[in-house]
Amino acid sequence: MKSFVACLMLTCLVASAAFADTPTNPLAPGARAIQFQIGKDFELKAFDGMSMSFKKHTAAESAWRLGVMLDFAIDDLDSETGFVDQDDVLVRSYDTDSNGQSLRVDLLRLRYPSPGKDVCWYWGVGPRVRFSRFEKETMSVHGMQPGTETQLTREESHTWSVGALGVGGVEWFVADGVSLHAEYAASLEYGAATRESESWRGEDGEPPTTHGASNDASHGWDFGGTQATFGASLYF
């Protein structure tokens, strides 16, 4: 259904562009736009994987673009199996609870060298900040009853990075207040990651008591790029 609606919208945009004389170029001081990404099967979603992408022009040839991605995930997985072999009963059960949060913020200063044309190329640079957190707890029971082994495992990880982002692209104004664009991006970031894990074991059906722990940490530079991203902007 989403693909049909997106395809219908794009068809209307192309039809408007075909029958219109010359679309009004909206690039002017105070112009604002919400941006969407065009995915497979013409699916519309937030631009560049963001939850929200917003642009505001301070002049015809320059603008600020803010992109924010906020993600929450909660998962609860239960599994239990049993197998009887004569007098022995093999038991396996798992109960896993996990949750994670992530945040990414991009702030770009965009430049349009030739803002008065129907097709404009642009470039931009600015900072990028990322943060994520993930937590998982697993309780497992396995073995032949009554000599089962119980294990409780807790894991927690954190990652963060800061760096610079650069973009370059072309924007085509197909109708009044509507444009299509293609964009490439590259980033250079410095970040760090930490992971902590603890486990407790218990035998013969007793609660877990034997304790073990491990910690991992890493940091460094990362350079990344993207393939062409296609999108649409709605100006207001």
Side-chain angles (χ1 to χ4, degrees):
M1 183 63 181
K2 291 181 179 179
S3 299
F4 173 76
V5 173
C7 185
L8 182 61
M9 291 176 63
L10 289 177
T11 301
C12 292
L13 293 180
V14 174
S16 300
F19 290 102
D21 294 330
T22 301
T24 302
N25 187 315
L27 301 186
R32 293 166 291 180
I34 297 176
Q35 296 185 306
F36 302 92
Q37 183 171 327
I38 303 174
K40 294 182 179 179
D41 300 323
F42 297 103
E43 179 186 1
L44 291 181
K45 54 185 179 180
F47 188 70
D48 196 23
M50 295 298 192
S51 303
M52 179 275 293
S53 183
F54 174 79
K55 182 178 73 164
K56 182 177 180 179
H57 277 261
T58 54
E61 65 276 1
S62 59
W64 288 102
R65 189 174 83 191
L66 174 66
V68 178
M69 183 192 73
L70 188 61
D71 185 42
F72 294 92
I74 299 177
D75 191 20
D76 185 3
L77 177 63
D78 299 319
S79 175
E80 184 172 352
T81 60
F83 177 74
V84 179
D85 182 12
Q86 295 182 353
D87 296 331
D88 296 325
V89 178
L90 176 62
V91 176
R92 289 178 181 156
S93 67
Y94 300 89
D95 182 4
T96 301
D97 297 311
S98 62
N99 67 85
Q101 305 84 37
S102 62
L103 173 67
R104 173 180 143 195
V105 178
D106 294 346
L107 180 62
L108 286 166
R109 184 60 169 172
L110 301 178
R111 297 288 298 178
Y112 289 77
S114 303
K117 300 180 179 180
D118 293 339
V119 179
C120 302
W121 74 276
Y122 65 90
W123 60 273
V125 294
R128 164 177 283 180
V129 179
R130 301 181 198 240
F131 172 80
S132 66
R133 173 187 174 276
F134 180 76
E135 185 179 61
K136 181 172 73 171
E137 180 175 295
T138 301
M139 174 68 80
S140 63
V141 179
H142 60 89
M144 294 289 187
Q145 288 186 343
T148 56
E149 180 179 286
T150 304
Q151 180 171 341
L152 173 64
T153 303
R154 290 177 181 161
E155 299 178 21
E156 185 171 350
S157 62
H158 297 82
T159 63
W160 64 265
S161 66
V162 295
L165 174 68
V167 300
V170 176
E171 187 168 3
W172 173 38
F173 299 97
V174 297
D176 289 348
V178 179
S179 71
L180 301 177
H181 43 86
E183 180 178 295
Y184 288 92
S187 63
L188 179 63
E189 302 173 58
Y190 179 82
T194 60
R195 179 179 175 274
E196 299 178 0
S197 177
E198 291 184 287
S199 62
W200 294 263
R201 291 178 180 270
E203 298 181 351
D204 299 328
E206 296 295 326
T209 54
T210 305
H211 179 260
S214 64
N215 296 277
D216 298 308
S218 62
H219 60 88
W221 291 93
D222 180 67
F223 176 78
T226 65
Q227 297 179 342
T229 302
F230 299 95
S233 293
L234 303 180
Y235 286 83
F236 59 97

